[in-house]
Amino acid sequence: MASFDPNNVDLDTADMAQVVCYLNSEGNEYNGHMGARISAIFVILICSTLATFFPVVAKRMPKVKVPVYVYLFARYFGTGVILATAFVHLLDPAYDEIGPASCVGLTGNWAEYSWPPAIVLISITIIFLMDFTAELYVESKYGLNRTTDRTSIVQEHDHPVPPALTAKNDSAPTKDVYAEERDADSIAAERSFRQQISAFLILEFGVMFHSVIIGLNLGVAGDEFATLYPVLVFHQSFEGLGIGARMSAIPFARNSWLPWLLCLTYGLTTPIAIAIGLGVRNSYNPGSSTANIVSGVLDSISAGILIYTSLVELLARDFLFDPCRTNDRRRLGFMVVCTLLGTGVMALLGKWA
């Protein structure tokens, strides 16, 4: 790069990597406005944390009377936000940072393959294997057998228990029967909790990766800071709404402190990253090769996590495979519209951040 003269370029013979790397080299663009940047720490902290807490408070505190449609809006708008974040706010920037047309993607071993989709694929595969392994572990621990369960249901349907036997069994239920029912309910509840909390932790992990990168960039941004600041307030608030909405659906114990801790963890992530960015404001170069590689790899990993989570854990389970899904067409329509609205709004924010 040292021999590259931007004032004397022959496009027929110039090395494409040198041209692209020169055009993409931003350098450190910090231009002051320290007061506004410090205020961003607290504004984003308050807005994103409150947005994350809202669905959890609405679900776990009955005294706070929140209309059901307000809660449904928060939950399914958040689903759309997570879906759009995966594609627009993570996958697209990953291509800009380490894709085939980027400075990194045109140099060294990075030029040998298109790495963003490969990393996304690896990420999705690993999350699938983790999810599947956890499912098998839970089934093994609680002695569940899907084939046996389905077979017994079919047999019960095809060969119903004689009425006399049923009446005999129903007329004198024993304490053991009640105890078994309570144990079965307890096992089902614990199984559901373990499945949902593991999926949620993966989701929050993926979102927090992204939050760290954008927090650092906001701390050192140049002229675009004025636009980036308000956009990220909405960006982080919407993502927080999605995180909180998914958490509110998990059956935590009534006195559990874990949901409050997880909400606060998300709320603190971006402000801490902004503070770190301010600490290195005169030396950090977001356009450097190292910064692009780190950001591109993390964005690709996060994109894979959120693509799997939004499509499998959220859309598929909520709308296609949930046996308890409502049959109220009005409510279903509202849920779908909220999901599409969240997707559209978050995709639009991708124009600026």
Side-chain angles (χ1 to χ4, degrees), residues 294-338:
V294 172
S295 298
V297 171
L298 291 182
D299 281 347
S300 298
I301 292 173
S302 297
I305 292 173
L306 266 62
I307 288 171
Y308 179 88
T309 302
S310 59
L311 296 180
V312 177
E313 300 290 345
L314 305 184
L315 291 179
R317 290 196 179 180
D318 279 1
F319 289 100
L320 301 179
F321 305 123
D322 183 4
C324 301
R325 188 192 66 198
T326 179
N327 290 320
D328 185 336
R329 293 296 187 265
R330 179 184 176 187
R331 183 170 293 188
L332 277 173
F334 181 76
M335 290 157 54
V336 171
V337 169
C338 290

Side-chain angles (χ1 to χ4, degrees), residues 65-346:
K65 297 186 182 299
V66 177
V68 64
Y69 277 92
V70 173
Y71 170 74
L72 289 175
F73 172 82
R75 177 170 176 174
Y76 292 100
F77 183 88
T79 295
V81 165
I82 292 169
L83 177 61
T85 298
F87 289 97
V88 178
H89 295 264
L90 291 171
L91 186 57
D92 183 58
Y95 272 95
D96 289 339
E97 292 153 348
I98 60 173
S102 69
C103 174
V104 172
L106 290 169
T107 57
N109 292 327
W110 293 97
E112 300 297 323
Y113 196 75
S114 181
W115 286 102
I119 297 173
V120 169
L121 178 61
I122 293 170
S123 179
I124 290 175
T125 303
I126 292 174
I127 298 303
F128 161 70
L129 292 175
M130 291 172 60
D131 198 13
F132 185 52
T133 302
E135 180 79 8
L136 292 178
Y137 170 76
V138 171
E139 290 179 3
S140 175
K141 179 177 180 179
Y142 295 113
L144 301 173
N145 188 305
R146 290 181 178 270
T147 304
T148 302
D149 291 345
R150 285 196 296 267
T151 302
S152 64
I153 291 172
V154 172
Q155 290 176 341
E156 185 175 323
H157 179 270
D158 293 342
H159 306 286
V161 180
L165 183 57
T166 304
K168 181 179 178 181
N169 290 339
D170 291 344
S171 62
T174 64
K175 293 182 178 179
D176 290 342
V177 173
Y178 291 133
E180 288 177 2
E181 290 178 352
R182 287 195 298 270
D183 289 344
D185 290 342
S186 177
I187 289 173
E190 185 173 354
R191 179 190 181 200
S192 175
F193 173 77
R194 287 175 180 267
Q195 290 172 328
Q196 293 185 56
I197 191 62
S198 60
F200 173 79
L201 290 175
I202 292 170
L203 167 64
E204 184 166 19
F205 181 69
V207 172
M208 286 172 62
F209 263 171
H210 178 50
S211 298
V212 169
I213 299 300
I214 63 177
L216 284 171
N217 289 338
L218 182 63
V220 301
D223 293 337
E224 72 273 18
F225 172 78
T227 302
L228 202 58
Y229 182 177
V231 170
L232 288 187
V233 172
F234 286 102
H235 182 285
Q236 291 306 103
S237 298
F238 289 155
E239 280 192 355
L241 194 62
I243 291 288
R246 302 321 305 182
M247 197 184 317
S248 68
I250 301 175
F252 289 100
R254 176 59 59 182
N255 59 347
S256 175
W257 49 266
L258 189 55
W260 311 111
L261 177 62
L262 292 173
C263 286
L264 186 60
T265 299
Y266 169 78
L268 287 170
T269 301
T270 302
I272 290 174
I274 295 173
I276 294 173
L278 292 178
V280 297
R281 61 188 180 278
N282 292 316
S283 59
Y284 178 69
N285 179 9
S288 68
S289 179
T290 300
N292 277 325
I293 291 172
V294 172
S295 298
V297 171
L298 291 182
D299 281 347
S300 298
I301 292 173
S302 297
I305 292 173
L306 266 62
I307 288 171
Y308 179 88
T309 302
S310 59
L311 296 180
V312 177
E313 300 290 345
L314 305 184
L315 291 179
R317 290 196 179 180
D318 279 1
F319 289 100
L320 301 179
F321 305 123
D322 183 4
C324 301
R325 188 192 66 198
T326 179
N327 290 320
D328 185 336
R329 293 296 187 265
R330 179 184 176 187
R331 183 170 293 188
L332 277 173
F334 181 76
M335 290 157 54
V336 171
V337 169
C338 290
T339 302
L340 297 178
L341 181 62
T343 304
V345 171
M346 200 62 175

Side-chain angles (χ1 to χ4, degrees), residues 24-100:
N24 291 344
S25 59
E26 301 172 358
N28 181 276
E29 298 183 347
Y30 174 76
N31 62 352
H33 307 294
M34 178 60 77
R37 295 173 194 268
I38 292 175
S39 74
I41 296 175
F42 298 99
V43 172
I44 291 178
L45 171 63
I46 293 170
C47 292
S48 62
T49 302
L50 289 179
T52 310
F53 273 108
F54 170 72
V56 180
V57 171
K59 187 70 177 289
R60 294 175 61 84
M61 294 186 173
K63 293 182 179 179
V64 181
K65 297 186 182 299
V66 177
V68 64
Y69 277 92
V70 173
Y71 170 74
L72 289 175
F73 172 82
R75 177 170 176 174
Y76 292 100
F77 183 88
T79 295
V81 165
I82 292 169
L83 177 61
T85 298
F87 289 97
V88 178
H89 295 264
L90 291 171
L91 186 57
D92 183 58
Y95 272 95
D96 289 339
E97 292 153 348
I98 60 173

